[in-house]
Amino acid sequence: MKVNGADESLDVEPWASLLDTLRERLGLTGTKKGCDQGACGACTVLADGVRINACLALAVQYDGSEITTIEGVDHPLQEAFIRHDGFQCGYCTPGQICSAIGMLAEHAAGMPSAVGATGLTEDEIRERMSGNLCRCGAYNGILDAIMEVR
């Protein structure tokens, strides 16, 4: 697989999660293990540009894929998160940023959401980002950062 632009050739057990492989084998610790059940989004990465929960993905499933973790992100959202205080403890921030990048791409591709708004309204962003939790409650800053760059 290619991770953050670098070709990585790894022998991994068939049961190894993508999250554990990124953190333990490649030393990319920006992606966090939150719930380890796919409920919090702290482990969100981009696989071929699509956001996924790395804790629920097997590394072997992504052989030949392009994986982008927060360490490989260079996006205006990062500065917007800082300007709008879209982080407090920072634990969820890597997953929030990767998820927001994926969400913006989904919206640009015309993928619908439950809200069904034609533009990226605050309600639309809240719905599309609902799989990413912030225990500190920085949701207003996260929303403001995404609204700025949408």
Side-chain angles (χ1 to χ4, degrees):
M1 76 179 71
K2 188 175 274 201
V3 180
N4 298 329
D7 288 320
E8 300 290 349
S9 180
L10 301 168
D11 286 325
V12 296
E13 298 81 5
W15 56 83
S17 73
L18 180 59
L19 174 61
D20 289 341
T21 301
L22 292 169
R23 291 182 58 81
E24 297 169 13
R25 298 286 301 278
L26 297 177
L28 298 170
T29 57
T31 304
K32 302 296 189 249
K33 185 179 280 192
C35 66
D36 210 21
Q37 298 175 351
C40 74
C43 67
T44 304
V45 298
L46 301 169
D48 297 321
V50 177
R51 57 187 171 157
I52 64 165
N53 290 331
C55 73
L56 296 180
L58 296 175
V60 296
Q61 291 175 280
Y62 292 91
D63 185 27
S65 295
E66 171 74 34
I67 305 297
T68 305
T69 69
I70 193 65
E71 291 91 344
V73 168
D74 182 15
H75 195 279
L77 269 169
Q78 293 162 297
E79 291 292 327
F81 264 64
I82 292 168
R83 276 192 299 281
H84 294 282
D85 198 23
F87 58 91
Q88 287 181 22
C89 79
Y91 196 84
C92 73
T93 306
Q96 295 278 1
I97 289 173
C98 286
S99 186
I101 291 168
M103 179 273 299
L104 291 170
E106 290 166 9
H107 181 265
M111 293 179 72
S113 79
V115 173
T118 55
L120 273 177
T121 64
E122 288 185 3
D123 287 342
E124 182 76 11
I125 292 170
R126 282 188 188 98
E127 168 62 26
R128 289 178 181 264
M129 291 293 293
S130 64
N132 288 82
L133 304 178
C134 172
R135 288 162 178 85
C136 298
Y139 292 112
N140 291 336
I142 292 166
L143 177 63
D144 291 345
I146 296 169
M147 290 290 290
E148 178 185 317
V149 301
R150 65 187 166 146

